[in-house]
Amino acid sequence: MTHLRQIMLEELQRRNFAETTIYTYIRTVEQFSQHFHRSPDRLGTDHIRQYQAYLLSQKLSPNTVGQRLAALRFFYIRVLKRPWSIAETPYPRTVFRLPGVLSQEEVTHLIDAAETPFHRIVLMTLYATGARRKEAACLRVSDVDSQRMVIHIRGGKGRKDRDVMLSPKLLDALRAHWRSLRSKRSEWLFPSGRWHNGKHHVSASCIWSACHRAAVRAGLAHKRIHPHTLRHSFATHLLEAGADLRTIQLLLGHRDLEETTIYLHLSHRYLNATGSPLDALALNA
């Protein structure tokens, strides 16, 4: 597997895949090989079909199964130079689900319930900017532009940079946060724990944990809140406040406007703009 792994790694890096995608793709091929106790170059279409059925039996989401198939497809086409038949290994139909969002009152409760001041400022930043948790984790001090009142998000999903608004309230909170840090030499806006001496940024898993703990403390755990919930809430609240979809698309870093239209299903402003046809019926009491 070592030689094949090296070839796959090089092929992924040549195409400038994201680090998380590289890890997922290589890990998928390893698990595929371990499932059949054979080297992956000795496995064929029948094994792929059996493995797909196995993944679905494990109750994995269609999107996750699709991602695993994409990894195997890349391995067979780019590494083994073998043909791949989509007809024989069809991707599962995806399920459309609306994301969960919080009301502004619930966002307030969540932020106020943060376990530490550090967790609080991270949650504030997620909601104020709509950043993904990894994007927030990787923010540098130099990314906060108080002159133009924007925050630069660099190397977001798809390796794209973008600017988002810098709330005056968030700027004040970030300044207080920076004054509270023991080490001012770190380049990271949210440095990791003291044992790293500010050399590393906070991990994405730490941000997830901070959000989960705050949700429990705020009595919102039943809503299955995670950092992306704040991103969805950010977009929905902007839409309800009158922002147009194109602006929200740019702020979120969506490649396609269609991705952003999902928030039309979540905004009370749009849901309540049209009455139900039931109200026009002259029904007997």
Side-chain angles (χ1 to χ4, degrees):
M1 180 67 184
T2 304
H3 178 62
L4 294 174
R5 177 193 177 99
Q6 183 61 32
I7 295 176
M8 185 170 184
L9 178 61
E10 291 172 354
E11 291 296 322
L12 288 165
Q13 290 175 337
R14 285 175 56 203
R15 290 164 176 80
N16 201 28
F17 277 56
E19 290 183 12
T20 52
T21 304
I22 292 175
Y23 172 83
T24 301
Y25 274 33
I26 290 179
R27 182 63 181 146
T28 294
V29 177
E30 289 177 347
Q31 292 173 341
F32 177 58
S33 176
Q34 292 166 1
H35 181 77
F36 292 101
H37 305 288
R38 294 187 197 177
S39 176
D41 58 340
R42 296 173 56 196
L43 300 173
T45 303
D46 287 340
H47 297 100
I48 297 171
R49 188 183 301 112
Q50 294 172 32
Y51 191 61
Q52 181 179 1
Y54 164 74
L55 293 176
L56 291 170
S57 72
Q58 298 301 301
K59 307 300 182 184
L60 296 180
S61 71
N63 288 340
T64 300
V65 175
Q67 184 185 51
R68 303 286 175 86
L69 288 176
L72 295 177
R73 181 175 183 270
F74 183 94
F75 175 74
Y76 274 82
I77 293 177
R78 302 300 180 186
V79 179
L80 299 183
K81 308 300 181 183
R82 293 182 187 174
W84 178 278
S85 173
I86 295 180
E88 295 185 17
T89 52
Y91 284 72
R93 295 179 62 181
T94 57
V95 179
F96 176 78
R97 288 193 174 92
L98 291 174
V101 295
L102 302 176
S103 67
Q104 290 183 312
E105 182 180 7
E106 288 172 327
V107 172
T108 301
H109 291 327
L110 180 72
I111 293 174
D112 285 342
E115 204 167 42
T116 67
F118 183 82
H119 289 177
R120 177 185 172 87
I121 187 61
V122 169
L123 295 180
M124 286 180 66
T125 302
L126 288 173
Y127 177 65
T129 63
R132 301 174 179 91
R133 60 173 172 162
K134 187 172 182 181
E135 293 170 345
C138 296
L139 284 174
R140 289 176 164 82
V141 176
S142 58
D143 291 331
V144 180
D145 187 343
S146 59
Q147 295 298 314
R148 296 180 54 227
M149 292 303 288
V150 298
I151 292 179
H152 307 295
I153 295 181
R154 307 184 190 279
K157 189 174 182 180
R159 298 184 182 275
K160 295 185 295 184
D161 294 353
R162 70 182 189 277
D163 285 351
V164 297
M165 75 282 275
L166 172 58
S167 156
K169 185 179 293 187
L170 178 64
L171 177 60
D172 290 342
L174 287 173
R175 284 172 171 164
H177 155 71
W178 189 248
R179 288 194 296 270
S180 70
L181 292 180
R182 296 190 178 187
S183 174
K184 305 296 191 299
R185 292 176 295 177
S186 176
E187 65 177 311
W188 305 109
L189 186 60
F190 303 123
S192 188
R194 287 177 293 177
W195 53 88
H196 290 305
N197 201 25
K199 294 181 180 179
H200 302 282
H201 59 71
V202 66
S203 67
S205 59
C206 178
I207 293 179
W208 188 95
S209 178
C211 188
H212 174 71
R213 291 180 183 179
V216 172
R217 289 162 60 94
L220 299 170
H222 63 285
K223 287 205 165 190
R224 299 179 64 183
I225 297 170
H226 45 78
H228 225 69
T229 305
L230 290 173
R231 177 175 164 85
H232 293 315
S233 301
F234 162 85
T236 304
H237 296 164
L238 280 180
L239 189 62
E240 291 177 341
D244 61 89
L245 281 175
R246 175 58 178 162
T247 299
I248 296 173
Q249 177 195 0
L250 295 174
L251 291 172
L252 293 177
H254 284 167
R255 181 174 55 185
D256 194 323
L257 185 61
E258 187 175 349
E259 295 180 70
T260 316
T261 58
I262 189 174
Y263 298 107
L264 291 173
H265 296 273
L266 302 173
S267 170
H268 287 294
R269 177 182 174 213
Y270 286 88
L271 291 176
N272 298 331
T274 304
S276 168
L278 177 65
D279 297 331
L281 300 182
L283 297 175
N284 294 325

